[in-house]
Amino acid sequence: MQIPVQALQFQIAGKPVLCKQWGSGHINYTLRIETDAGKRYILQRINQFVFKDPVAMVENANGVASFLLNKTGNPKASVRFLPTLTGDICLKDDQGEYWRLYEYIEGFCLDAPECLEDFYESAIAFGNFQNALSDYPVETLYETIPNFHNTPDRFRQLKDAIAADPKRRAVRARPEIEFALSQEVLGGTLQRMLEKGQLPLRVTHNDTKLNNVLLDPETRKSLCVLDLDTVMPGLSAFDFGDSIRFGAATTAEDDPEPENMMLDLERFAAYTRGYLTAAKALTDAEVQALSYGAIIMSLEVGIRFLTDYLNGDVYFRTAYPEHNLVRCRTQLALVADMLKKWDEMNDIVNRIAKEFR
Ligand code: GN1
Ligand code: MG
């Protein structure tokens, strides 16, 4: 495909010769660029509907990336952002779009684990990330999406969408709306614990899907965590939970057959073991909150898909008109399965936690 002129505005080595669309994100537009100097870069156009202050968002990501690179001394511990020709961390083009560019690291990402070890590795990656940032200057972090994992606020947005029903779609989503609303009290559990001071605020990633972990093509060990756009103060249980929601699920988040969607308890256990191995500083209350993190993140993402469906698909990129409804149905099927497996999930966490304490 044609190389966007924006690529030429960054301090890259060589002249871009190849360009292709990259990754499977729902938010930003991502390209991989290759130059005649044999260098590869990732160029991204930032979604300004989602990120209201793109410059602050890139500064956040760059701050965290530089911190990780300096702290570990490992050039693959994070992506490295490159400045523009004028020395800025992102580019504003003449259409008012914002772009950023980072060095491509050789590796691969998975949309589903191919074996238990892959998933265990991703737990190590996110657990290490959590640990490495434990002394990051939190006060410098800009909140890139306010209330991102404030589940009660997500319920408020869902109810607003149901009331406004701008596309007259609520009628097609009745069972999903009913089920979602019946889980509102459960959904608020961790937010209430946070407000009561029972859980500590940490520097968290907030989008801990398996496909945000870069794996080494030779060893299959995790190299680093990608997509630093939503690094903000948050709850460790949500980081744990989003990984489970995505990677311990038996099918893709947009499988049109919701009955295929279940929680795989073996993977749940593998991730729990990896996470507790790497994220050493978790308090007892945080460990007890992990299963809540898994079910609440699944519920939260389910209601976000539902809200977006009702609002006319303004947030998540969709491939067909009912895509968000399909995603919502399948996420809520995961919630229903977790409700059935609730005791087993907690038993697994308690059993593994005992090995570490
Ligand atoms: C979005 O762009 P991507 O796929 O990494 C979203 C996450 C959702 C996820 C659902 C900034 O992440 O919160 O969990 O889709 N990111 C943002 O797949 O909203
Ligand atoms: Mg992503």
Side-chain angles (χ1 to χ4, degrees):
M1 67 192 278
Q2 216 189 331
I3 294 154
V5 290
Q6 288 84 353
L8 305 170
Q9 298 297 312
F10 285 87
Q11 297 184 23
I12 55 175
K15 184 171 158 289
V17 287
L18 269 178
C19 169
K20 55 177 156 184
Q21 218 171 319
W22 199 251
S24 57
H26 299 342
I27 308 292
N28 298 317
Y29 174 63
T30 306
L31 301 169
R32 193 179 78 171
I33 310 277
E34 276 183 66
T35 73
D36 59 3
K39 288 280 193 179
R40 290 184 286 189
Y41 301 97
I42 297 291
L43 177 68
Q44 284 185 308
R45 186 181 65 213
I46 297 160
N47 180 329
Q48 287 184 66
F49 181 77
V50 172
F51 297 104
K52 305 294 181 204
D53 186 344
V55 178
M57 185 272 262
V58 182
E59 280 169 356
N60 241 18
N62 182 48
V64 171
S66 310
F67 183 89
L68 291 172
L69 289 167
N70 290 338
K71 187 166 178 173
T72 60
N74 168 7
K76 290 185 172 175
S78 173
V79 299
R80 184 187 300 278
F81 292 93
L82 294 188
T84 64
L85 296 177
T86 53
D88 299 308
I89 202 61
C90 61
L91 172 80
K92 184 177 181 187
D93 69 14
D94 41 21
Q95 253 95 74
E97 298 285 359
Y98 286 84
W99 300 74
R100 62 160 174 218
L101 178 137
Y102 58 84
E103 286 175 350
Y104 173 77
I105 304 176
E106 193 62 54
F108 67 102
C109 298
L110 292 170
D111 279 316
E114 285 167 14
C115 56
L116 275 185
E117 287 70 30
D118 288 344
F119 198 41
Y120 176 85
E121 269 307 308
S122 73
I124 297 283
F126 283 117
N128 284 340
F129 181 85
Q130 163 76 212
N131 261 1
L133 293 176
S134 59
D135 55 345
Y136 189 82
V138 189
E139 64 291 349
T140 64
L141 274 181
Y142 157 79
E143 208 179 345
T144 58
I145 305 179
N147 290 319
F148 191 55
H149 287 325
N150 180 338
T151 320
D153 194 63
R154 296 291 186 181
F155 271 98
R156 180 193 58 76
Q157 292 179 39
L158 171 62
K159 288 182 197 163
D160 286 352
I162 297 168
D165 197 15
K167 301 283 170 188
R168 302 259 174 274
R169 284 176 161 184
V171 59
R172 292 216 288 286
R174 276 290 154 231
E176 290 74 26
I177 292 175
E178 227 167 82
F179 178 77
L181 294 179
S182 75
Q183 300 303 321
E184 190 172 0
V185 173
L186 168 70
T189 309
L190 291 181
Q191 184 65 27
R192 286 193 297 274
M193 289 176 77
L194 174 67
E195 283 161 13
K196 284 189 202 142
Q198 294 165 347
L199 293 171
L201 261 190
R202 307 249 183 215
V203 176
T204 47
H205 182 277
N206 297 305
D207 189 11
T208 54
K209 303 197 296 192
L210 178 68
N211 61 15
N212 281 330
V213 175
L214 190 68
L215 297 167
D216 187 310
E218 275 159 31
T219 63
R220 270 189 112 86
K221 298 273 177 221
S222 58
L223 290 169
C224 65
V225 160
L226 301 172
D227 190 354
L228 305 173
D229 299 349
T230 50
V231 176
M232 287 179 275
L235 295 179
S236 55
F238 284 151
D239 266 7
F240 172 89
D242 209 17
S243 290
I244 297 299
R245 165 189 90 74
F246 191 79
T250 52
T251 191
E253 73 181 6
D254 62 349
D255 187 328
E257 306 288 340
E259 45 289 354
N260 293 339
M261 179 53 101
M262 275 167 277
L263 173 71
D264 180 327
L265 284 171
E266 224 188 338
R267 285 197 223 151
F268 178 82
Y271 195 93
T272 303
R273 177 164 282 109
Y275 198 65
L276 292 182
T277 302
K280 296 184 191 71
L282 299 193
T283 64
D284 286 341
E286 282 180 291
V287 172
Q288 293 310 314
L290 293 178
S291 295
Y292 277 107
I295 197 165
I296 294 173
M297 278 313 299
S298 309
L299 178 62
E300 185 185 288
V301 175
I303 67 173
R304 287 174 64 196
F305 288 146
L306 180 53
T307 306
D308 199 35
Y309 174 70
L310 296 174
N311 286 338
D313 312 316
V314 289
Y315 188 95
F316 295 105
R317 188 174 307 143
T318 50
Y320 54 92
E322 304 277 285
H323 203 168
N324 271 319
L325 181 61
V326 163
R327 286 172 175 150
C328 151
R329 236 173 234 156
T330 300
Q331 277 302 293
L332 295 182
L334 181 61
V335 175
D337 193 55
M338 287 182 180
L339 284 171
K340 283 191 213 143
K341 293 177 175 157
W342 185 241
D343 291 341
E344 284 163 280
M345 289 163 69
N346 285 299
D347 288 348
I348 290 171
V349 171
N350 287 326
R351 179 166 51 73
I352 295 173
K354 270 200 202 115
E355 297 170 20
F356 292 89
R357 270 143 216 270

